[in-house]
Amino acid sequence: MLEAAIRVADRGGVAAITMRRVAQELGVEAMSLYHHVPNKEAILDGVVDAVFAAITLPSAESDDWRDAIRVRASSARAVLSQHSWALGLMDSRRNPGPATLRHHDAVLGVLRKAGFTLPMAAHAVSLIDSYVGGFVLQEANLPVTTPNDVEEVAGSILERLPADELPYLTEMIVDHALQAGYDHTREFGYGLDLILDALEARRR
C-alpha cells in the first residue's frame, strides 16, 4: 500500500495521496484500505517512514565522521530527488515511524561519538538537512537537467543579456556555465564539504 501511495505522490505530489487514489493504484475499492490503515494520516506517516528507510544510514564504524555524514547526505539527496514531494512532509509528522527514529538516532550517534556537544549536534543536523533539502528543491525547479539543457538555457539568456549593464552575470555565463565540463550538480559536494569543514572547526 505504501509503495502505491508513493507512486501516486511521485506523479501528483502529496495532495494526490487520498484513500481513493491509493485504492485505484492498487486496483481495489477505497473502503478496503480501512482494513489496513485507520485513515489518510496513517498513510502519510507510512510514506514518510518509507522515504527515511530508503536513505542510507551513516556508519557508526567510520573512522571519519565527515565521511559517514557525507554518505548519508548524498543518499538523502538521491532519494529526495526522486521524491521531492516528501520535503515538506518529512518534518511535519507527529507520529514518526521506526525507520525515521532509527535514522535520526544514527545521525546523532555519529556526531556525538565524534565529540560534538549535544547543542552542536543539533546545529549540525539542522544545517546539513537544510542544505540537502534546499539543494533538492532547487534542483527540482531548475530548467536544466543535462549539459545540453545548460547550453540551451544559458545561451538563450545570453542573447537577451545587456553585457555592458550586467557584466558579472555575463562573465559567469560565458566563462563558467558555458565552459566545457561544467556540471551544476557538482555544486552539491562542494557546498557540503564547506559545511562539514566548518562543523569540524567548531567541533575542535
Side-chain angles (χ1 to χ4, degrees):
M1 181 192 310
L2 296 181
E3 292 82 359
I6 288 173
R7 290 195 299 271
V8 168
D10 285 343
R11 292 195 300 268
V14 175
I17 300 179
T18 64
M19 300 297 273
R20 181 177 60 81
R21 289 188 183 176
V22 173
Q24 287 176 343
E25 184 73 18
L26 291 168
V28 299
E29 293 294 326
M31 289 304 295
S32 67
L33 298 185
Y34 290 98
H35 295 296
H36 305 281
V37 291
N39 49 42
K40 173 185 169 180
E41 292 301 308
I43 293 180
L44 294 179
D45 288 339
V47 295
V48 165
D49 208 48
V51 170
F52 269 111
I55 299 172
T56 302
L57 291 178
S59 173
E61 307 305 318
S62 177
D63 293 331
D64 189 335
W65 71 268
R66 288 173 297 189
D67 288 342
I69 295 298
R70 189 179 291 109
V71 168
R72 178 262 181 182
S74 297
S75 176
R77 176 198 175 193
V79 170
L80 291 171
S81 291
Q82 296 177 338
H83 312 298
S84 58
W85 50 267
L87 281 170
L89 191 63
M90 293 174 78
D91 293 326
S92 71
R93 311 314 300 161
R94 294 188 175 187
N95 299 297
T100 303
L101 297 174
R102 279 194 303 271
H103 183 97
H104 291 316
D105 188 74
V107 174
L108 289 170
V110 166
L111 296 171
R112 293 290 281 142
K113 288 176 182 177
F116 281 81
T117 64
L118 198 55
M120 272 303 301
H123 294 327
V125 169
S126 177
L127 180 59
I128 293 166
D129 285 359
S130 295
Y131 175 70
V132 173
F135 200 93
V136 169
L137 188 61
Q138 183 185 58
E139 278 192 307
N141 289 282
L142 283 175
V144 297
T145 55
T146 69
N148 288 338
D149 292 337
V150 173
E151 186 172 342
E152 180 181 339
V153 173
S156 175
I157 293 172
L158 196 60
E159 289 176 359
R160 298 176 278 111
L161 201 66
D164 55 336
E165 295 178 25
L166 305 171
Y168 300 110
L169 184 55
T170 300
E171 178 187 41
M172 178 62 72
I173 294 173
V174 174
D175 297 333
H176 188 64
L178 289 178
Q179 292 300 301
Y182 170 74
D183 182 359
H184 70 282
T185 63
R186 292 178 186 165
E187 299 294 341
F188 179 79
Y190 185 84
L192 181 61
D193 282 344
L194 284 180
I195 291 171
L196 298 180
D197 288 346
L199 288 171
E200 172 66 8
R202 290 292 180 94
R203 180 185 73 89
R204 291 178 176 176

